[in-house]
Amino acid sequence: MMSIDTHAHVFVRGLHLAVVRRYAPDYDAPLADYLAQLTRHGMTHGVLVQPSFLGTDNRFMLDAIRSSPLPLRGIGVVDPDIPRETLAAMADEGMAGIRLNLIGKDIPDFYSGPWPRFLRDLAQLGMQVEIHRAAADLPHIIAPLVAAGVNVVVDHFGRPDPSLGVRDPGFAYLLSVAATRKVWVKISAAYRNGADGVGERIARDAIPLLLAAFGAERLVWGSDWPHTQFESTADYGTVRALLDEWIPDASVRRTILATTPAELFRF
């Protein structure tokens, strides 16, 4: 039975690192280890997300997709001035979209420079845009992307402020854009939204609100393997088990694990 993990990373030491980066791990997370995790936990498909510390060099990720015996897709990181033909070639290689990891970065002006043409190319190629940013800033990002016609995927519950949780106005905004039917949310990496169990509590509060607003057909699950910067407190089995707690209805879980991501990531 199909089960899709929509958020994981693979890398090894010695790869070319981005000049500007917040972090770089001192260990390997190779494809073979990720595939072993998928198999061990009953997952049949995976989505690799380009790690921020590798910048726009997506070759390692694309090589992993090509060589994998299990079906994989990719979410890359590219510059907005990338030629359309290059994007199209990456799509043909299994890249379903691009990620804007805007943690610690300026929010782009999506209405000027290369952005309008870039977003138009993404929309025409059927490629999604994934967002990683604090919830407070989502209105400045989601609105222009939806206006450009691209599918938008918001990482990690939308990253609400740990002190506010689901009372974060940015999270309320996220719920409001469900009506566009152009936005999906990853229920993943709860631990990134607050230490000492705070993130998990926010997740439990957020799940019924997300289901009510988006429905299971706009929610996907990701392991966030290998849980960079949280390796000592998170593991694949634990985060997968949390999904069963959050979504006790097996039919709803099936939609989140299979039906929705199969369409969104073009499996």
Side-chain angles (χ1 to χ4, degrees), residues 103-207:
I103 301 294
K105 297 182 178 180
D106 293 335
I107 297 174
D109 179 355
F110 295 107
Y111 298 106
S112 67
W115 285 97
R117 190 274 310 165
F118 176 52
L119 296 177
R120 185 169 58 251
D121 288 346
L122 289 169
Q124 291 173 352
L125 292 167
M127 300 177 79
Q128 63 185 260
V129 177
E130 295 201 3
I131 301 168
H132 188 206
R133 181 76 177 205
D137 295 321
L138 292 180
H140 307 294
I141 302 168
I142 293 178
L145 296 181
V146 168
V150 296
N151 289 337
V152 177
V153 181
V154 179
D155 285 347
H156 308 332
F157 291 90
R159 297 301 307 267
D161 185 316
S163 67
L164 296 173
V166 296
R167 294 178 291 106
D168 187 326
F171 184 77
Y173 170 81
L174 177 60
L175 295 177
S176 77
V177 297
T180 68
R181 311 308 281 166
K182 295 291 289 181
V183 180
W184 286 252
V185 179
K186 285 186 182 177
I187 50 174
S188 56
Y191 45 78
R192 298 193 185 275
N193 292 324
D196 301 320
V198 170
E200 286 75 10
R201 289 196 294 274
I202 292 173
R204 288 193 293 271
D205 292 341
I207 287 292

Side-chain angles (χ1 to χ4, degrees), residues 5-266:
D5 174 2
T6 70
H7 197 102
H9 312 284
V10 294
F11 50 83
V12 294
R13 286 165 291 187
L15 295 173
H16 178 71
L17 298 176
V19 174
V20 179
R21 58 186 185 274
R22 294 178 292 113
Y23 159 83
D26 59 356
Y27 62 91
D28 297 336
L31 175 64
D33 288 3
Y34 176 55
L35 296 178
Q37 293 286 355
L38 290 180
T39 301
R40 185 175 303 123
H41 297 286
M43 309 301 292
T44 60
H45 299 59
V47 178
L48 301 178
V49 177
Q50 173 78 343
S52 61
F53 50 82
L54 294 183
T56 60
D57 185 350
N58 298 278
R59 288 176 296 176
F60 189 77
M61 180 187 70
L62 292 172
D63 286 345
I65 293 170
R66 278 192 294 269
S67 63
S68 173
L70 294 180
L72 300 179
R73 293 290 184 266
I75 297 295
V77 173
V78 302
D79 291 320
D81 58 359
I82 185 172
R84 178 192 170 96
E85 56 269 25
T86 306
L87 265 183
M90 297 173 90
D92 289 342
E93 291 186 84
M95 207 170 86
I98 64 101
R99 191 187 199 203
L100 298 180
N101 188 339
L102 298 173
I103 301 294
K105 297 182 178 180
D106 293 335
I107 297 174
D109 179 355
F110 295 107
Y111 298 106
S112 67
W115 285 97
R117 190 274 310 165
F118 176 52
L119 296 177
R120 185 169 58 251
D121 288 346
L122 289 169
Q124 291 173 352
L125 292 167
M127 300 177 79
Q128 63 185 260
V129 177
E130 295 201 3
I131 301 168
H132 188 206
R133 181 76 177 205
D137 295 321
L138 292 180
H140 307 294
I141 302 168
I142 293 178
L145 296 181
V146 168
V150 296
N151 289 337
V152 177
V153 181
V154 179
D155 285 347
H156 308 332
F157 291 90
R159 297 301 307 267
D161 185 316
S163 67
L164 296 173
V166 296
R167 294 178 291 106
D168 187 326
F171 184 77
Y173 170 81
L174 177 60
L175 295 177
S176 77
V177 297
T180 68
R181 311 308 281 166
K182 295 291 289 181
V183 180
W184 286 252
V185 179
K186 285 186 182 177
I187 50 174
S188 56
Y191 45 78
R192 298 193 185 275
N193 292 324
D196 301 320
V198 170
E200 286 75 10
R201 289 196 294 274
I202 292 173
R204 288 193 293 271
D205 292 341
I207 287 292
L209 299 174
L210 291 168
L211 280 172
F214 287 90
E217 66 274 14
R218 290 293 185 278
L219 301 180
V220 295
W221 175 83
S223 67
D224 196 36
W225 188 88
H227 324 290
T228 53
Q229 298 181 281
F230 291 86
E231 298 89 348
S232 63
T233 56
D235 63 81
Y236 203 111
T238 299
V239 298
R240 173 60 189 84
L242 279 173
L243 179 64
D244 293 347
E245 294 181 21
W246 296 336
I247 312 287
D249 186 316
S251 64
V252 177
R253 279 203 314 275
R254 180 57 35 209
T255 300
I256 292 170
L257 282 172
T259 310
T260 299
E263 180 178 356
L264 178 62
F265 293 94
R266 301 184 299 189

